[in-house]
Amino acid sequence: MAAEMEPPPLGDAGQTDFREIEDGEGFFVSTVTTIESPEPSSPDPPSMPAEGISTNGPKQEDISLDDDPEDLFAEATEEVSLDSPEREPILSDGPSPAITPVTPTAMLTPRMGLGTAEMFERALDEIEEDDSGDTFDMHIAVSDPEKVGDGMNAYMGYKVTTKTSMTIFSKNETTVRRRFSDFLGLHSKLASKYLHIGYIVPPAPEKSIVGMTKVKVGKEDLSSAEFVEKRRSALERYLMRTVKHPILLKDPDVMMFLESSELPRAVSTQALSGAGILRMVNKAADAVNKMTIKMNESDAWFEEKHQQFENLDLQLRKLHASVECLVCHRKELSVNTASFAKSAAMLGNSEDHTALSRALSQLAEVEEKIDQLHQDQAYADFYLFSELLGDYVRLITAVKGVFDHRMKTWSKWQDTQLLLQKKREAESKLQFANKPDKLQQAQDEIKELEGKVQQGEKDFELISKTIRKEVSRFEKERVKDFKVVIIQYLESLVQTQQQLIKYWEAFLPEAKAIA
Amino acid sequence: MMQEGLDDGPDFLSEEDRGPRAVNVDLQTDATLQVDISDALSERDKVKFTVHTKSTLPNFKQNEFSVVRQHEEFIWLHDSFVENEEYAGYIIPPAPPRPDFDASREKLQKLGEGEGSMTKEEFTKMKQELEAEYLAIFKKTVAMHEVFLCRVAAHPVLRKDMNFHVFLEYNQDLSVRGKNKREKMEDFFKNVVKSADGVLVAGVKDVDDFFEHEKTFLLEYHNRVKDASSKSDRMIRSHKSVADDINRIASTLYTLGTQDSTDVCKFFLKVSELFEKTRKIEARVAADEDLKLADLLKYYLRESQAAKDLLYRRGRALVDYENANKALDKARAKNKDVLQAETSQQVCCQKFEKISESAKQELIDFKTRRVAAFRKNLVELAELELKHAKGNLQLLQSCVGVLKGDT
């Protein structure tokens, strides 16, 4: 099977059993370099690669195994590493365009060396321990963003490809087309079903009126291409997180989303729809309620966890802001380096001492390569680090929401208990009033309320139990995610330094040659 | 408050900084006259340089002595060279730029104002960063003043200048005040006239190929160096911003690490530690680029201007010479004031030839110096970049190794 793919993967074909890796990879499948350089050689200049790969699109074309080390390197800064190898074993069917690029990683592996391989193995072991029963074997790719329609009614359609060997799915591989509001609709359904009973439902990517308008209007510039890529990557991470949740995976809405060719239009996700307004009103009401509920926390665990998540939220937001700053400044550095490179080239041209002139031209070339390095690093900064942080900031909001629901459940239970007490008092009064009908009614109501109180208590206990499990799962995921991403990010930094060394080492003799 | 602490600080120069610093110019130090800035003190508004001279020349009363000078006195010395007709045929070493701590002071002030909004560690860290920046600027201004003096001392003619000796030896204040408003206005008009004149003079085609080539070359070169200098400054500023960001990230990661109760806290702490170190390296990269690249370009911007000024003076002398020739012809034709015209023409001719002769050598020397300085600095730049990249790489790789071992 591997051989059928073009070009044939190198050594890493030996790394089997990668399917479990999905756990770690979902987030950075993006084609970091794709957006940045809409090269003439790329198959789809405006936006995305023709192949359904979320990883290396156009750049792929440029890659030949030996020739262009810089391009390869540029690839290497993307965390493509996790994706491609694991796709291989998943393919039960023949190769389809969507799964082709085992290539980039194949070429990457010799570059990245053993380090990456070891990392895969380790991530593997970890994942196998976690799973019980049916091993989680699923991969979802979101690709091929295509603008459908024109003007303000236009929207972006995405191809969603699911590959799995799990039996709950009817096919091993399914491809459907979805639009952004479909994703939002899915989330909205899942949230309404699961949030209030304590399940942490991963939040969907955020709407962006500015971003979408640019796309709708047809502005095909770098920023709208970046926006589309950012969204595509976010959608993919969103789906992967959702299906990693054992309960959500089995939800019929999720299955329908992934498998059915037609999906009813999720109108209620529009901001200004009736449902949208209702949501806003509910949100406001919730905020008020939260302030008024004073819960007697009998369980120290919840108190502690709540505080922990508050702290985590604060720090992650701070970190996210700093990393966004870093991305911005690094991009600026790249631009300024390029500008300096041009200037140095001009200076070299006007220098009339031949050897010095040549050296200055070489300096200009080095700086030009370095500016590309900075650009690539900025993308790694963003897609690896910044987006992960952004995702977790949103996830923690969901976690806090779940804690709030528990509070609400408790409050409901307490309210019912209070009501019961009142009714009991009323009943005892009625005992002496000699009104047999009213007495009977009161007693019936009391019976009903007793049932409700029992239910309330059960609900509260259930949500508490669910939350404990969910938090434990969430924390495990979080630890795994961060560990994997941090290592990948550091490796991107390693690559950058290695390249820097190469460039300056090549320049040094030129400088020394000035006579 | 904070500013005062720094301004009245003690001697900033460490042992290693003493001794001749040939930052941008490759000069042979000559035992007969050695000049350096052995000390410097920064006070609120001014910097006081201790100029130290070692000389075997008979002109001086002692063999070794020091005086304290301020920036204005350096400018006075430079201007006296420029205004001296005798030196018209030489490239006058460019005056050092005024010490400018404004930006640094502003940052320190902002830091002081924002003290309440950050943690104690962050505050201390940022303060250290700014103090280091202040120190770097300080060292740079000292170096630039020193280079000026060394260039003068190395020049076979300028080193004998009376004003220069007074500057070196006279241990009282030279009472050179900065230019007042009227003088500044005069300067401004002088410059305007000079530029206009310069254009006229430049338009005169030179018979001599060497000078014609030099004129074209210098004009273009000067402009391109200017551009390269400003672009390199911008690039280096971005680099510093990136280092600052990494600093902040390191702090937040540390907090995350101490708060986290899960396995990943080790990661956060390790990476925070790593980033602390790598950002120091990044800051050093920016500083070294500043020193080896930006300063080099800035210096040659000023020197190429001085070379252009020399060509202008020669051009001026050429025009005067040609005019004198024309006047002589006219006088001969009219047979009136012929002797006067003849002497005038002789004077102009001598002046022009004197300038041309020394100018040629000066321009050749300029090229030699320039090539040597670029070579030295580019080599050092590449070596430092390599050193830092390797340092970074080692830190990163070791951290990755540790973290992978942990997973």
Side-chain angles (χ1 to χ4, degrees):
Chain A
M1 190 168 50
E4 287 162 15
M5 280 174 258
E6 49 83 13
L10 298 182
D12 64 324
Q15 302 182 2
T16 51
D17 291 355
F18 275 129
R19 41 205 155 116
E20 270 83 64
I21 303 240
E22 293 88 66
D23 272 315
E25 56 64 52
F27 333 102
F28 25 83
V29 264
S30 60
T31 323
V32 172
T33 43
T34 333
I35 328 95
E36 204 38 36
S37 27
E39 289 152 9
S41 55
S42 78
D44 287 353
S47 34
M48 298 318 284
E51 330 282 289
I53 314 99
S54 41
T55 43
N56 327 305
K59 269 291 179 93
Q60 210 186 318
E61 259 57 35
D62 301 337
I63 300 173
S64 58
L65 272 173
D66 296 319
D67 296 353
D68 213 343
E70 264 114 63
D71 274 345
L72 279 184
F73 167 70
E75 295 286 312
T77 38
E78 309 166 2
E79 346 3 289
V80 202
S81 42
L82 280 180
D83 288 325
S84 313
E86 48 85 357
R87 281 185 209 243
E88 232 186 297
I90 289 178
L91 293 181
S92 30
D93 303 332
S96 56
I99 43 192
T100 321
V102 190
T103 320
T105 317
M107 289 188 242
L108 280 177
T109 323
R111 239 166 214 290
M112 302 235 248
L114 280 180
T116 327
E118 281 164 13
M119 181 172 80
F120 289 179
E121 246 94 319
R122 248 176 283 255
L124 239 197
D125 292 341
E126 211 181 359
I127 294 158
E128 277 178 33
E129 281 164 34
D130 295 332
D131 289 333
S132 47
D134 191 17
T135 43
F136 180 76
D137 162 22
M138 190 157 173
H139 180 78
I140 302 184
V142 173
S143 57
D144 287 351
E146 250 173 44
K147 187 161 153 207
V148 177
D150 259 322
M152 288 313 286
N153 287 329
Y155 64 88
M156 269 301 191
Y158 301 90
K159 185 158 102 173
V160 177
T161 311
T162 311
K163 285 182 227 110
T164 177
S165 66
M166 293 170 85
T167 46
I168 47 170
F169 285 88
S170 54
K171 287 195 273 183
N172 277 0
E173 184 182 327
T174 327
T175 303
V176 292
R177 283 210 77 86
R178 295 282 178 257
R179 57 184 287 187
F180 186 64
S181 54
D182 293 335
F183 289 80
L184 293 183
L186 174 65
H187 173 255
S188 151
K189 290 201 198 109
L190 293 176
S192 65
K193 278 197 258 184
Y194 294 103
L195 263 184
H196 68 275
I197 48 174
Y199 288 100
I200 302 173
V201 176
E206 283 163 349
K207 279 175 173 276
S208 164
I209 300 182
V210 174
M212 256 336 266
T213 313
K214 269 203 228 158
V215 173
K216 287 184 194 199
V217 164
K219 200 155 177 273
E220 281 189 9
D221 64 353
L222 203 60
S223 68
S224 49
E226 276 181 23
F227 169 78
V228 171
E229 171 54 22
K230 187 173 160 184
R231 175 162 281 193
R232 182 208 64 77
S233 167
L235 289 173
E236 198 173 90
R237 297 195 304 269
Y238 163 65
L239 284 181
M240 282 304 294
R241 282 219 177 84
T242 305
V243 298
K244 277 199 208 147
H245 194 300
I247 305 292
L248 295 180
L249 171 61
K250 306 205 176 76
D251 183 285
D253 280 323
V254 168
M255 303 240 231
M256 196 164 82
F257 180 92
L258 291 175
E259 291 192 319
S260 63
S261 48
E262 285 297 319
L263 213 57
R265 177 94 187 274
V267 204
S268 65
T269 58
Q270 284 167 350
L272 294 178
S273 66
I277 299 199
L278 189 62
R279 260 199 304 277
M280 283 195 280
V281 169
N282 280 338
K283 252 200 197 158
D286 278 350
V288 171
N289 281 337
K290 220 166 70 166
M291 292 192 282
T292 54
I293 297 178
K294 186 71 173 68
M295 179 167 172
N296 293 339
E297 187 56 80
S298 52
D299 195 335
W301 185 91
F302 280 91
E303 187 68 52
E304 197 186 303
K305 280 297 168 192
H306 185 78
Q307 191 56 49
Q308 267 179 23
F309 279 114
E310 289 286 336
N311 292 342
L312 189 60
D313 188 32
L314 189 66
Q315 295 305 322
L316 283 183
R317 278 175 201 271
K318 207 163 151 204
L319 189 59
H320 188 213
S322 296
V323 175
E324 285 190 316
C325 248
L326 176 66
V327 172
C328 181
H329 285 141
R330 229 195 269 274
K331 279 197 191 154
E332 209 178 87
L333 176 60
S334 163
V335 166
N336 288 339
T337 307
S339 160
F340 172 71
K342 286 202 191 76
S343 186
M346 296 283 280
L347 184 63
N349 278 344
S350 67
E351 171 60 65
D352 66 351
H353 185 274
T354 348
L356 178 55
S357 169
R358 191 174 48 234
L360 284 171
S361 303
Q362 297 283 25
L363 178 69
E365 271 182 42
V366 167
E367 294 288 353
E368 208 181 302
K369 293 195 195 129
I370 291 179
D371 105 67
Q372 186 60 46
L373 260 185
H374 286 315
Q375 219 172 53
D376 294 341
Q377 185 59 60
Y379 275 91
D381 291 345
F382 181 73
Y383 279 100
L384 274 181
F385 208 178
S386 179
E387 287 285 76
L388 174 76
L389 293 171
D391 284 351
Y392 268 89
V393 165
R394 280 193 298 277
L395 272 168
I396 288 183
T397 312
V399 172
K400 292 211 284 196
V402 150
F403 273 75
D404 287 344
H405 275 291
R406 176 174 171 270
M407 246 185 19
K408 274 199 257 170
T409 311
W410 179 85
S411 170
K412 196 160 146 215
W413 172 34
Q414 294 301 312
D415 288 347
T416 322
Q417 253 188 346
L418 273 173
L419 192 58
L420 175 63
Q421 203 177 345
K422 265 202 214 133
K423 292 283 177 176
R424 281 202 174 124
E425 284 169 11
E427 191 235 9
S428 41
K429 281 203 195 119
L430 281 177
Q431 292 264 358
F432 299 107
N434 206 4
K435 287 187 186 145
D437 301 335
K438 287 236 170 109
L439 187 59
Q440 185 60 41
Q441 188 188 21
Q443 282 172 339
D444 287 340
E445 279 176 359
I446 288 177
K447 259 229 183 61
E448 199 187 322
L449 277 177
E450 277 173 350
K452 278 207 182 127
V453 165
Q454 262 188 346
Q455 186 60 45
E457 187 174 3
K458 267 215 272 227
D459 286 345
F460 179 71
E461 275 168 14
L462 182 62
I463 196 177
S464 300
K465 188 161 143 230
T466 309
I467 290 180
R468 276 176 189 268
K469 256 201 334 216
E470 283 286 285
V471 165
S472 158
R473 194 189 64 88
F474 176 81
E475 289 287 78
K476 275 218 201 95
E477 284 288 315
R478 177 171 77 88
V479 167
K480 230 185 318 183
D481 281 355
F482 272 86
K483 280 187 178 179
V484 166
V485 166
I486 284 176
I487 288 182
Q488 294 225 311
Y489 180 62
L490 290 185
E491 285 183 336
S492 80
L493 293 173
V494 164
Q495 295 276 10
T496 303
Q497 294 303 317
Q498 282 171 334
Q499 279 296 25
L500 268 177
I501 289 174
K502 261 203 3 218
Y503 295 151
W504 286 110
E505 271 178 350
F507 175 71
L508 189 55
E510 290 291 338
K512 286 188 171 159
I514 303 171
Chain B
M1 266 176 4
M2 212 183 329
Q3 294 176 31
E4 269 156 40
L6 269 174
D7 283 2
D8 292 340
D11 175 15
F12 275 109
L13 299 177
S14 61
E15 283 306 321
E16 66 188 10
D17 293 323
R18 302 190 193 207
R21 267 174 296 230
V23 170
N24 284 314
V25 189
D26 204 19
L27 296 169
Q28 289 104 340
T29 41
D30 170 1
T32 55
L33 181 61
Q34 274 179 15
V35 185
D36 67 273
I37 295 182
S38 59
D39 202 351
L41 192 62
S42 165
E43 279 173 18
R44 176 151 292 280
D45 267 344
K46 42 204 173 173
V47 181
K48 294 201 168 132
F49 303 95
T50 303
V51 178
H52 168 249
T53 314
K54 262 213 231 143
S55 172
T56 55
L57 291 177
N59 327 48
F60 300 110
K61 294 200 199 90
Q62 297 164 294
N63 280 358
E64 189 170 350
F65 47 90
S66 291
V67 295
V68 176
R69 292 282 172 250
Q70 292 182 32
H71 176 73
E72 286 77 18
E73 292 164 312
F74 286 77
I75 300 301
W76 165 81
L77 183 61
H78 170 261
D79 289 349
S80 77
F81 290 152
V82 171
E83 286 157 15
N84 189 335
E85 287 273 334
E86 289 296 304
Y87 302 144
Y90 306 120
I91 295 182
I92 310 295
R98 197 181 68 84
D100 183 12
F101 296 100
D102 290 344
S104 199
R105 285 221 186 90
E106 214 180 281
K107 279 198 207 163
L108 274 170
Q109 193 164 14
K110 273 208 199 117
L111 181 66
E113 286 165 10
E115 185 171 354
S117 70
M118 52 180 91
T119 70
K120 191 150 182 293
E121 292 92 22
E122 277 175 16
F123 179 75
T124 321
K125 256 213 278 188
M126 291 220 69
K127 183 152 174 273
Q128 279 174 355
E129 277 302 298
L130 286 179
E131 283 175 357
E133 201 178 293
Y134 192 94
L135 184 60
I137 298 177
F138 188 79
K139 281 191 187 166
K140 265 217 264 186
T141 191
V142 168
M144 292 197 269
H145 283 75
E146 192 181 73
V147 159
F148 169 70
L149 293 178
C150 291
R151 278 270 278 126
V152 175
H155 195 283
V157 175
L158 293 176
R159 74 198 329 225
K160 301 195 196 123
D161 182 85
M162 248 342 280
N163 284 336
F164 183 48
H165 289 188
V166 167
F167 177 95
L168 289 177
E169 204 178 17
Y170 187 61
N171 57 10
Q172 308 281 334
D173 191 355
L174 286 174
S175 298
V176 167
R177 53 176 175 70
K179 296 195 170 153
N180 64 21
K181 242 197 224 153
R182 202 195 66 176
E183 281 161 345
K184 283 194 182 146
M185 279 301 271
E186 282 176 359
D187 270 357
F188 173 71
F189 281 118
K190 259 195 239 162
N191 274 331
V192 170
V193 169
K194 183 167 153 214
S195 322
D197 200 21
V199 172
L200 283 168
V201 165
V204 174
K205 177 118 171 66
D206 208 316
V207 186
D208 189 328
D209 278 341
F210 175 80
F211 284 104
E212 189 57 31
H213 165 82
E214 286 296 308
K215 203 162 49 171
T216 329
F217 162 70
L218 271 174
L219 207 57
E220 192 185 59
Y221 188 77
H222 178 79
N223 288 335
R224 295 200 176 167
V225 164
K226 201 192 284 196
D227 188 53
S229 171
S230 85
K231 300 267 164 69
S232 76
D233 280 345
R234 240 183 283 171
M235 176 176 78
I236 291 166
R237 263 201 299 274
S238 290
H239 222 136
K240 286 203 185 112
S241 298
V242 168
D244 285 341
D245 288 334
I246 298 180
N247 196 11
R248 263 191 292 273
I249 291 173
S251 295
T252 316
L253 279 174
Y254 180 75
T255 315
L256 269 172
T258 51
Q259 276 179 359
D260 202 294
S261 54
T262 66
D263 228 13
V264 80
C265 75
K266 275 183 280 167
F267 270 61
F268 287 148
L269 289 172
K270 235 8 340 251
V271 176
S272 167
E273 195 187 315
L274 168 73
F275 281 173
E276 285 284 344
K277 296 194 192 127
T278 59
R279 76 113 186 133
K280 283 206 180 91
I281 295 184
E282 286 299 325
R284 289 270 25 211
V285 170
D288 286 339
E289 283 177 350
D290 197 18
L291 221 57
K292 301 295 169 189
L293 195 56
D295 277 357
L296 175 72
L297 293 170
K298 277 198 202 82
Y299 186 81
Y300 277 93
L301 178 62
R302 298 200 304 275
E303 268 244 28
S304 58
Q305 183 61 48
K308 274 170 68 180
D309 291 343
L310 170 62
L311 280 182
Y312 162 72
R313 291 194 291 271
R314 181 180 170 275
R316 179 80 254 158
L318 178 59
V319 167
D320 289 344
Y321 180 31
E322 285 176 352
N323 288 343
N325 273 336
K326 288 197 198 118
L328 181 59
D329 288 342
K330 242 210 230 150
R332 282 193 179 141
K334 283 195 193 152
N335 211 347
K336 193 177 166 202
D337 291 326
V338 174
L339 193 58
Q340 191 183 358
E342 268 177 359
T343 16
S344 164
Q345 191 253 26
Q346 289 274 35
V347 166
C348 284
C349 175
Q350 273 168 356
K351 181 168 172 207
F352 171 70
E353 281 174 355
K354 178 169 176 235
I355 292 182
S356 285
E357 196 183 310
S358 58
K360 191 163 191 163
Q361 191 52 49
E362 288 280 305
L363 288 168
I364 291 174
D365 286 346
F366 172 59
K367 181 163 169 173
T368 318
R369 268 202 315 273
R370 181 175 81 244
V371 173
F374 268 79
R375 182 185 191 282
K376 175 171 185 282
N377 282 284
L378 288 178
V379 168
E380 287 176 359
L381 174 71
E383 287 175 343
L384 285 167
E385 294 268 5
L386 270 173
K387 172 173 157 211
H388 293 317
K390 287 187 177 150
N392 252 339
L393 180 65
Q394 202 209 16
L395 285 172
L396 286 165
Q397 279 176 329
S398 100
C399 183
V400 171
V402 168
L403 292 181
K404 281 186 179 176
D406 255 353
T407 42

